[in-house]
Amino acid sequence: MTTTTDLGELTGDYVLDTARTRIGFGARAALVTTVRGWFEGFEGSARLDGDDPAASAVRLTIRADSLRTGNRRRDGHLRGGDFLDVGGHPVITFTSTGVTPVGGFRFTVTGDLTVHGVTRPVRVDVRLTDARAEPRGGFRAGFRATATVHRKDWGVGPRGALIGDKVTLEFDVVALRH
């Protein structure tokens, strides 16, 4: 729950707190269960404008080789040529192209997602979950965000793979302004 009701307090330049941010994903596997994973290596920044959210911007860079699912063999397969091909495409990037308020503390962020060397537009549903001054100075903003993408739109994974086409991206973000 946020401790602010004035979005104007959010205005400023932020960096991701990588120790408290989680970037994850989930995809159906063999049509029976959902395989969940996360990325351990990433960095990002944002320029937030609480008075004019449309003037806000977000940038995220993820190291593709930092993918983890809790299964080393599966991780190696997902990092390999059949899926992410981390040797040829070492980073996944997202650069926002627009921010639209949808009511209260909810926003739609549109942007360009580059995976496997392919860039396509995506829509991310974002909710402000926390906003407060830090005890040692600065300001912290927390967000929860989700997006659903179709992996084949980026050429990720072979046809007939036992992993479903839809991948849900999940972001629990803590951003810091100093």
Short mmCIF file of all heavy atoms in Angstrom, two decimals, residues 18 21-26 36-43 60-69 78-79 84 86 89-92 113 115 167-171:
data_model
loop_
_atom_site.label_atom_id
_atom_site.label_comp_id
_atom_site.label_asym_id
_atom_site.label_seq_id
_atom_site.Cartn_x
_atom_site.Cartn_y
_atom_site.Cartn_z
N THR A 18 18.33 -3.16 -7.31
CA THR A 18 18.42 -4.54 -7.81
C THR A 18 18.34 -5.57 -6.69
O THR A 18 17.99 -6.72 -6.94
CB THR A 18 19.70 -4.74 -8.64
OG1 THR A 18 20.83 -4.40 -7.84
CG2 THR A 18 19.67 -3.88 -9.90
N THR A 21 14.37 -5.77 -6.19
CA THR A 21 13.54 -5.90 -7.38
C THR A 21 13.59 -7.34 -7.88
O THR A 21 14.65 -7.97 -7.85
CB THR A 21 14.03 -4.95 -8.49
OG1 THR A 21 13.82 -3.60 -8.03
CG2 THR A 21 13.29 -5.16 -9.80
N ARG A 22 12.45 -7.85 -8.33
CA ARG A 22 12.39 -9.20 -8.90
C ARG A 22 11.77 -9.12 -10.29
O ARG A 22 10.69 -8.52 -10.45
CB ARG A 22 11.55 -10.13 -8.04
CG ARG A 22 11.52 -11.54 -8.58
CD ARG A 22 10.68 -12.45 -7.69
NE ARG A 22 10.66 -13.79 -8.20
CZ ARG A 22 9.94 -14.21 -9.24
NH1 ARG A 22 9.18 -13.39 -9.89
NH2 ARG A 22 9.99 -15.46 -9.64
N ILE A 23 12.45 -9.70 -11.26
CA ILE A 23 11.93 -9.78 -12.63
C ILE A 23 11.75 -11.26 -12.93
O ILE A 23 12.72 -12.02 -12.98
CB ILE A 23 12.90 -9.12 -13.63
CG1 ILE A 23 13.05 -7.64 -13.29
CG2 ILE A 23 12.38 -9.32 -15.06
CD1 ILE A 23 14.09 -6.93 -14.11
N GLY A 24 10.52 -11.67 -13.09
CA GLY A 24 10.23 -13.08 -13.27
C GLY A 24 9.36 -13.35 -14.48
O GLY A 24 8.92 -12.44 -15.18
N PHE A 25 9.13 -14.64 -14.71
CA PHE A 25 8.30 -15.05 -15.84
C PHE A 25 7.66 -16.39 -15.50
O PHE A 25 8.10 -17.11 -14.61
CB PHE A 25 9.11 -15.17 -17.13
CG PHE A 25 10.23 -16.17 -17.04
CD1 PHE A 25 10.02 -17.51 -17.36
CD2 PHE A 25 11.49 -15.78 -16.63
CE1 PHE A 25 11.05 -18.44 -17.27
CE2 PHE A 25 12.53 -16.70 -16.53
CZ PHE A 25 12.30 -18.03 -16.85
N GLY A 26 6.60 -16.68 -16.22
CA GLY A 26 5.94 -17.97 -16.08
C GLY A 26 5.40 -18.40 -17.43
O GLY A 26 4.94 -17.57 -18.22
N ARG A 36 8.14 -21.47 -13.68
CA ARG A 36 8.41 -20.10 -13.27
C ARG A 36 9.92 -19.90 -13.19
O ARG A 36 10.66 -20.82 -12.86
CB ARG A 36 7.79 -19.80 -11.92
CG ARG A 36 6.28 -19.93 -11.96
CD ARG A 36 5.61 -19.26 -10.79
NE ARG A 36 4.18 -19.44 -10.84
CZ ARG A 36 3.35 -18.78 -11.63
NH1 ARG A 36 3.83 -17.88 -12.44
NH2 ARG A 36 2.06 -19.01 -11.60
N GLY A 37 10.33 -18.69 -13.49
CA GLY A 37 11.74 -18.37 -13.42
C GLY A 37 11.95 -16.90 -13.16
O GLY A 37 10.99 -16.14 -13.00
N TRP A 38 13.21 -16.50 -13.13
CA TRP A 38 13.56 -15.13 -12.84
C TRP A 38 14.90 -14.81 -13.49
O TRP A 38 15.61 -15.69 -13.93
CB TRP A 38 13.60 -14.89 -11.33
CG TRP A 38 14.67 -15.66 -10.63
CD1 TRP A 38 15.92 -15.22 -10.30
CD2 TRP A 38 14.61 -17.02 -10.19
NE1 TRP A 38 16.64 -16.22 -9.69
CE2 TRP A 38 15.85 -17.34 -9.60
CE3 TRP A 38 13.62 -18.01 -10.23
CZ2 TRP A 38 16.13 -18.58 -9.07
CZ3 TRP A 38 13.91 -19.26 -9.69
CH2 TRP A 38 15.14 -19.53 -9.12
N PHE A 39 15.19 -13.53 -13.52
CA PHE A 39 16.48 -13.06 -14.01
C PHE A 39 17.22 -12.43 -12.84
O PHE A 39 16.64 -11.62 -12.11
CB PHE A 39 16.31 -12.04 -15.14
CG PHE A 39 15.74 -12.63 -16.39
CD1 PHE A 39 14.38 -12.61 -16.63
CD2 PHE A 39 16.58 -13.22 -17.32
CE1 PHE A 39 13.85 -13.16 -17.78
CE2 PHE A 39 16.06 -13.78 -18.48
CZ PHE A 39 14.69 -13.75 -18.71
N GLU A 40 18.49 -12.77 -12.68
CA GLU A 40 19.27 -12.25 -11.57
C GLU A 40 20.09 -11.01 -11.94
O GLU A 40 20.48 -10.26 -11.05
CB GLU A 40 20.21 -13.33 -11.03
CG GLU A 40 19.45 -14.46 -10.38
CD GLU A 40 20.36 -15.53 -9.81
OE1 GLU A 40 21.51 -15.68 -10.30
OE2 GLU A 40 19.92 -16.22 -8.88
N GLY A 41 20.36 -10.78 -13.23
CA GLY A 41 21.20 -9.67 -13.64
C GLY A 41 20.42 -8.67 -14.47
O GLY A 41 19.96 -8.99 -15.57
N PHE A 42 20.27 -7.46 -13.95
CA PHE A 42 19.54 -6.44 -14.68
C PHE A 42 19.87 -5.07 -14.09
O PHE A 42 20.41 -4.95 -12.99
CB PHE A 42 18.03 -6.67 -14.62
CG PHE A 42 17.50 -6.84 -13.22
CD1 PHE A 42 17.15 -5.75 -12.45
CD2 PHE A 42 17.39 -8.10 -12.65
CE1 PHE A 42 16.70 -5.89 -11.15
CE2 PHE A 42 16.93 -8.27 -11.36
CZ PHE A 42 16.58 -7.15 -10.61
N GLU A 43 19.53 -4.04 -14.85
CA GLU A 43 19.64 -2.67 -14.38
C GLU A 43 18.57 -1.87 -15.09
O GLU A 43 18.08 -2.26 -16.16
CB GLU A 43 21.03 -2.09 -14.67
CG GLU A 43 21.35 -1.99 -16.14
CD GLU A 43 22.76 -1.45 -16.40
OE1 GLU A 43 23.60 -1.52 -15.49
OE2 GLU A 43 22.99 -0.95 -17.50
N LEU A 60 14.98 -0.60 -19.17
CA LEU A 60 15.38 -1.81 -18.46
C LEU A 60 16.28 -2.64 -19.37
O LEU A 60 15.98 -2.82 -20.55
CB LEU A 60 14.14 -2.62 -18.09
CG LEU A 60 14.34 -3.98 -17.43
CD1 LEU A 60 15.02 -3.83 -16.07
CD2 LEU A 60 13.01 -4.69 -17.29
N THR A 61 17.39 -3.13 -18.80
CA THR A 61 18.29 -4.03 -19.51
C THR A 61 18.49 -5.26 -18.64
O THR A 61 18.85 -5.14 -17.46
CB THR A 61 19.65 -3.36 -19.79
OG1 THR A 61 19.43 -2.18 -20.57
CG2 THR A 61 20.58 -4.31 -20.54
N ILE A 62 18.25 -6.44 -19.21
CA ILE A 62 18.37 -7.71 -18.50
C ILE A 62 19.45 -8.55 -19.16
O ILE A 62 19.48 -8.68 -20.38
CB ILE A 62 17.03 -8.49 -18.56
CG1 ILE A 62 15.90 -7.67 -17.94
CG2 ILE A 62 17.16 -9.85 -17.89
CD1 ILE A 62 14.52 -8.24 -18.22
N ARG A 63 20.33 -9.12 -18.37
CA ARG A 63 21.32 -10.08 -18.89
C ARG A 63 20.61 -11.41 -19.14
O ARG A 63 20.14 -12.06 -18.20
CB ARG A 63 22.46 -10.27 -17.89
CG ARG A 63 23.50 -9.19 -17.91
CD ARG A 63 24.76 -9.53 -17.13
NE ARG A 63 24.85 -10.88 -16.63
CZ ARG A 63 24.73 -11.24 -15.33
NH1 ARG A 63 24.50 -10.33 -14.41
NH2 ARG A 63 24.84 -12.50 -14.97
N ALA A 64 20.51 -11.81 -20.37
CA ALA A 64 19.79 -13.04 -20.73
C ALA A 64 20.39 -14.27 -20.07
O ALA A 64 19.67 -15.21 -19.71
CB ALA A 64 19.74 -13.21 -22.25
N ASP A 65 21.71 -14.27 -19.87
CA ASP A 65 22.35 -15.44 -19.26
C ASP A 65 22.09 -15.56 -17.76
O ASP A 65 22.47 -16.54 -17.13
CB ASP A 65 23.86 -15.47 -19.54
CG ASP A 65 24.62 -14.35 -18.85
OD1 ASP A 65 24.00 -13.44 -18.27
OD2 ASP A 65 25.86 -14.39 -18.90
N SER A 66 21.40 -14.59 -17.18
CA SER A 66 21.10 -14.64 -15.75
C SER A 66 19.76 -15.33 -15.46
O SER A 66 19.32 -15.37 -14.32
CB SER A 66 21.10 -13.22 -15.14
OG SER A 66 19.96 -12.48 -15.54
N LEU A 67 19.15 -15.92 -16.49
CA LEU A 67 17.89 -16.66 -16.35
C LEU A 67 18.07 -17.83 -15.40
O LEU A 67 19.05 -18.57 -15.48
CB LEU A 67 17.44 -17.17 -17.72
CG LEU A 67 16.23 -18.08 -17.75
CD1 LEU A 67 15.41 -17.79 -18.97
CD2 LEU A 67 16.62 -19.54 -17.70
N ARG A 68 17.12 -17.99 -14.49
CA ARG A 68 17.10 -19.11 -13.55
C ARG A 68 15.68 -19.65 -13.42
O ARG A 68 14.73 -18.87 -13.38
CB ARG A 68 17.56 -18.68 -12.15
CG ARG A 68 18.93 -18.05 -12.09
CD ARG A 68 20.04 -19.07 -12.29
NE ARG A 68 21.35 -18.50 -12.10
CZ ARG A 68 22.09 -17.95 -13.06
NH1 ARG A 68 21.64 -17.87 -14.29
NH2 ARG A 68 23.29 -17.49 -12.79
N THR A 69 15.57 -20.98 -13.33
CA THR A 69 14.27 -21.62 -13.06
C THR A 69 14.35 -22.58 -11.89
O THR A 69 13.33 -23.15 -11.50
CB THR A 69 13.76 -22.41 -14.29
OG1 THR A 69 14.66 -23.51 -14.53
CG2 THR A 69 13.61 -21.54 -15.51
N LEU A 78 17.04 -23.27 -21.97
CA LEU A 78 16.39 -21.99 -22.25
C LEU A 78 17.39 -20.91 -22.66
O LEU A 78 17.06 -20.02 -23.45
CB LEU A 78 15.59 -21.53 -21.04
CG LEU A 78 14.36 -22.38 -20.70
CD1 LEU A 78 13.73 -21.91 -19.40
CD2 LEU A 78 13.35 -22.37 -21.83
N ARG A 79 18.62 -20.99 -22.16
CA ARG A 79 19.65 -20.02 -22.56
C ARG A 79 20.24 -20.34 -23.93
O ARG A 79 20.87 -19.49 -24.55
CB ARG A 79 20.78 -20.02 -21.53
CG ARG A 79 20.41 -19.42 -20.21
CD ARG A 79 21.65 -19.38 -19.32
NE ARG A 79 21.25 -19.30 -17.94
CZ ARG A 79 21.61 -20.16 -16.99
NH1 ARG A 79 22.42 -21.17 -17.28
NH2 ARG A 79 21.19 -20.00 -15.77
N LEU A 84 16.65 -18.53 -25.99
CA LEU A 84 17.17 -17.16 -25.92
C LEU A 84 18.47 -16.94 -26.69
O LEU A 84 18.77 -15.80 -27.04
CB LEU A 84 17.37 -16.74 -24.46
CG LEU A 84 16.08 -16.56 -23.65
CD1 LEU A 84 16.42 -16.17 -22.22
CD2 LEU A 84 15.17 -15.52 -24.28
N VAL A 86 21.69 -16.88 -25.77
CA VAL A 86 22.38 -15.82 -25.04
C VAL A 86 23.75 -15.49 -25.61
O VAL A 86 24.23 -14.37 -25.42
CB VAL A 86 22.46 -16.12 -23.52
CG1 VAL A 86 21.07 -16.31 -22.94
CG2 VAL A 86 23.35 -17.31 -23.23
N HIS A 89 22.63 -13.16 -28.40
CA HIS A 89 21.73 -12.09 -27.95
C HIS A 89 21.84 -11.97 -26.42
O HIS A 89 20.98 -12.46 -25.69
CB HIS A 89 20.29 -12.40 -28.36
CG HIS A 89 20.15 -12.67 -29.81
ND1 HIS A 89 20.20 -11.67 -30.76
CD2 HIS A 89 19.99 -13.83 -30.49
CE1 HIS A 89 20.07 -12.21 -31.96
NE2 HIS A 89 19.95 -13.50 -31.83
N PRO A 90 22.91 -11.34 -25.95
CA PRO A 90 23.20 -11.35 -24.51
C PRO A 90 22.27 -10.51 -23.64
O PRO A 90 22.24 -10.71 -22.42
CB PRO A 90 24.63 -10.82 -24.43
CG PRO A 90 24.80 -10.02 -25.68
CD PRO A 90 23.95 -10.68 -26.72
N VAL A 91 21.51 -9.58 -24.22
CA VAL A 91 20.64 -8.74 -23.40
C VAL A 91 19.21 -8.72 -23.92
O VAL A 91 18.96 -8.89 -25.12
CB VAL A 91 21.15 -7.29 -23.25
CG1 VAL A 91 22.47 -7.25 -22.51
CG2 VAL A 91 21.26 -6.61 -24.59
N ILE A 92 18.31 -8.50 -23.00
CA ILE A 92 16.90 -8.26 -23.26
C ILE A 92 16.66 -6.82 -22.81
O ILE A 92 17.09 -6.44 -21.72
CB ILE A 92 16.02 -9.23 -22.45
CG1 ILE A 92 16.29 -10.67 -22.88
CG2 ILE A 92 14.55 -8.87 -22.58
CD1 ILE A 92 15.72 -11.71 -21.93
N LEU A 113 10.08 -3.97 -26.61
CA LEU A 113 10.78 -5.08 -25.96
C LEU A 113 11.63 -5.77 -27.01
O LEU A 113 11.11 -6.19 -28.06
CB LEU A 113 9.77 -6.06 -25.36
CG LEU A 113 10.35 -7.31 -24.70
CD1 LEU A 113 11.19 -6.95 -23.48
CD2 LEU A 113 9.22 -8.27 -24.31
N VAL A 115 13.98 -8.98 -27.60
CA VAL A 115 14.36 -10.31 -27.14
C VAL A 115 14.86 -11.07 -28.36
O VAL A 115 14.23 -11.03 -29.42
CB VAL A 115 13.16 -11.07 -26.52
CG1 VAL A 115 13.58 -12.46 -26.06
CG2 VAL A 115 12.53 -10.29 -25.40
N VAL A 167 3.86 -16.25 -22.49
CA VAL A 167 4.76 -16.09 -21.36
C VAL A 167 4.29 -14.86 -20.59
O VAL A 167 4.10 -13.79 -21.17
CB VAL A 167 6.22 -15.90 -21.82
CG1 VAL A 167 7.14 -15.66 -20.62
CG2 VAL A 167 6.70 -17.09 -22.65
N THR A 168 4.09 -15.03 -19.30
CA THR A 168 3.70 -13.91 -18.46
C THR A 168 4.96 -13.35 -17.80
O THR A 168 5.71 -14.08 -17.15
CB THR A 168 2.71 -14.36 -17.37
OG1 THR A 168 1.56 -14.90 -18.01
CG2 THR A 168 2.30 -13.19 -16.49
N LEU A 169 5.19 -12.07 -18.00
CA LEU A 169 6.31 -11.38 -17.38
C LEU A 169 5.79 -10.70 -16.12
O LEU A 169 4.73 -10.08 -16.14
CB LEU A 169 6.89 -10.34 -18.35
CG LEU A 169 7.30 -10.87 -19.72
CD1 LEU A 169 7.75 -9.73 -20.62
CD2 LEU A 169 8.38 -11.92 -19.58
N GLU A 170 6.54 -10.84 -15.03
CA GLU A 170 6.12 -10.31 -13.74
C GLU A 170 7.24 -9.46 -13.16
O GLU A 170 8.38 -9.92 -13.07
CB GLU A 170 5.80 -11.46 -12.79
CG GLU A 170 4.74 -12.40 -13.34
CD GLU A 170 4.71 -13.75 -12.65
OE1 GLU A 170 5.75 -14.16 -12.08
OE2 GLU A 170 3.66 -14.39 -12.69
N PHE A 171 6.90 -8.25 -12.76
CA PHE A 171 7.89 -7.32 -12.23
C PHE A 171 7.44 -6.83 -10.85
O PHE A 171 6.36 -6.29 -10.71
CB PHE A 171 8.03 -6.09 -13.14
CG PHE A 171 8.31 -6.43 -14.58
CD1 PHE A 171 7.28 -6.67 -15.47
CD2 PHE A 171 9.62 -6.48 -15.03
CE1 PHE A 171 7.54 -6.97 -16.80
CE2 PHE A 171 9.89 -6.78 -16.36
CZ PHE A 171 8.85 -7.03 -17.25
#
